[in-house]
């Protein structure tokens, strides 16, 4: 099995895509480092993994802070000895405003959590992977990183940045046996999306109406793709971006 005994770090693993992927990888035999800012949510993910017979630790971290990112990588290595897989996933959506209506503080928060955190994660995880012969990384981008999306300009900017970082890191470290890919999910039924829908019902309904498949995606559907990309079945996939959006970006 391509995941058995391998060590995976997953950020934003207390809910949504992160939790679903943590459970999927643990089911396949991976050892999981659950990283989240909300301790209760992260611990719940650990408990679910352990209840199913898996092994996991929780590391509390604000992923927008470089020292806390460095610490979650260090703590994982201390617990499990290495890092083989990394789902660089944590992020926020923002308030759902036109670009000029965002405050400077909102710009900074979205950029810090969605882009700086990804760069920090890549820096510290790649440093560890270089020591142990390689690994596989998946970054979470978005359909808003592939095309323009109204009312989320700073979010879209950060997700375009995630794709740029993904492609560049793949080129730089491919010969070191480190693969770096990205997923570009559409509207997935996660706590973040549900809350965005409550706060911005008109924008959310317009988004839902635009999905050719006629429904929201499920976190487990994303987890299946991430598990594949992180595993040994995808050894020649590097620097790619996978849309998983019910057909939105095909239009």
């Amino acid at each position: 099995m391509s995941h058995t005994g391998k060590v995976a770090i997953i950020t934003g693993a207390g809910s949504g895509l992160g939790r679903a992927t943590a459970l999927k990888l643990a089911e396949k035999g991976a050892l999981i480092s659950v990283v989240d800012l909300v301790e209760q949510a992260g611990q719940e993910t650990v408990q679910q993994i352990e209840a199913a017979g898996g092994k996991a630790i929780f590391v509390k971290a604000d992923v927008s802070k470089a020292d806390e990112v460095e610490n979650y990588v260090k703590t994982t290595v201390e617990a499990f000895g290495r890092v083989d897989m990394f789902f660089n996933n944590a992020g926020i959506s923002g308030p759902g405003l036109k670009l000029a209506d965002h405050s400077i503080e909102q710009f900074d928060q979205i950029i810090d959590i969605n882009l700086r955190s990804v760069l920090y994660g890549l820096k510290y995880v790649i440093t560890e992977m270089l020591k142990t012969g390689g690994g596989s990384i998946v970054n979470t981008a978005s359909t808003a990183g592939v095309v323009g999306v109204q009312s989320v300009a700073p979010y879209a900017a950060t997700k375009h940045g995630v794709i740029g970082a993904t492609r560049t890191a793949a080129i730089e470290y491919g010969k070191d046996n480190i693969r770096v890919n990205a997923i570009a999910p559409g509207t997935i039924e996660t706590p973040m999306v549900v809350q965005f829908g409550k706060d911005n019902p008109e924008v959310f309904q317009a988004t839902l109406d635009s999905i050719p498949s006629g429904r929201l995606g499920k976190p487990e559907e994303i987890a299946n793709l991430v598990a594949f990309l992180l595993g040994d079945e995808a050894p020649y996939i590097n620097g790619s971006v996978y849309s998983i959006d019910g057909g939105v970006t095909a239009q």
Side-chain angles (χ1 to χ4, degrees):
M1 295 293 291
S2 67
H3 302 81
T4 301
K6 291 189 175 181
V7 177
I9 297 176
I10 302 173
T11 64
S15 64
L17 310 186
R19 174 176 285 179
T21 302
L23 294 171
K24 173 62 66 173
L25 291 176
E27 177 187 320
K28 290 178 172 290
L31 311 174
I32 310 297
S33 179
V34 171
V35 178
D36 206 281
L37 181 61
V38 182
E39 183 166 359
Q40 180 178 349
Q43 293 287 9
E44 286 174 357
T45 300
V46 171
Q47 290 167 7
Q48 289 182 31
I49 290 170
E50 292 178 339
K55 187 173 182 179
I57 62 168
F58 169 71
V59 186
K60 183 177 181 178
D62 179 344
V63 296
S64 70
K65 300 184 184 307
D67 59 338
E68 296 194 27
V69 173
E70 183 178 22
N71 180 67
Y72 76 61
V73 177
K74 179 181 177 182
T75 301
T76 301
V77 172
E78 289 175 348
F80 295 130
R82 57 190 292 131
V83 181
D84 302 298
M85 301 181 290
F86 180 37
F87 186 29
N88 202 4
N89 166 69
I92 59 172
S93 62
L97 301 170
K98 289 185 176 180
L99 191 152
D101 294 329
H102 283 78
S103 69
I104 298 302
E105 291 75 20
Q106 287 168 336
F107 282 155
D108 289 344
Q109 182 187 39
I110 294 166
I111 291 168
D112 285 349
I113 294 174
N114 287 4
L115 184 55
R116 289 185 186 275
S117 72
V118 170
L119 294 170
Y120 296 155
L122 289 170
K123 171 181 172 61
Y124 292 112
V125 167
I126 287 172
T127 297
E128 285 301 321
M129 287 181 171
L130 288 171
K131 297 176 184 177
T132 54
S136 182
I137 297 169
V138 173
N139 298 318
T140 297
S142 168
T143 53
V146 179
V147 297
V149 177
Q150 293 190 62
S151 302
V152 292
Y155 175 83
T158 61
K159 295 303 185 177
H160 276 75
V162 168
I163 289 174
T166 298
R167 289 172 170 157
T168 302
I171 294 167
E172 292 179 341
Y173 295 101
K175 290 182 180 178
D176 296 298
N177 195 36
I178 297 174
R179 296 186 297 107
V180 187
N181 294 292
I183 56 168
T187 309
I188 311 301
E189 195 172 349
T190 65
M192 183 178 78
V193 167
V194 170
Q195 187 59 53
F196 182 87
K198 291 178 180 177
D199 295 340
N200 307 275
E202 291 183 7
V203 173
F204 184 76
Q205 186 60 50
T207 300
L208 186 59
D209 291 342
S210 73
I211 302 172
S213 292
R215 65 173 177 86
L216 299 180
K218 300 180 184 303
E220 294 76 17
E221 293 170 325
I222 307 300
N224 289 336
L225 176 60
V226 175
F228 169 72
L229 291 172
L230 289 174
D232 293 339
E233 293 88 353
Y236 203 53
I237 300 177
N238 189 33
S240 295
V241 180
Y242 285 85
S243 294
I244 179 165
D245 60 12
V248 170
T249 53
Q251 300 177 97

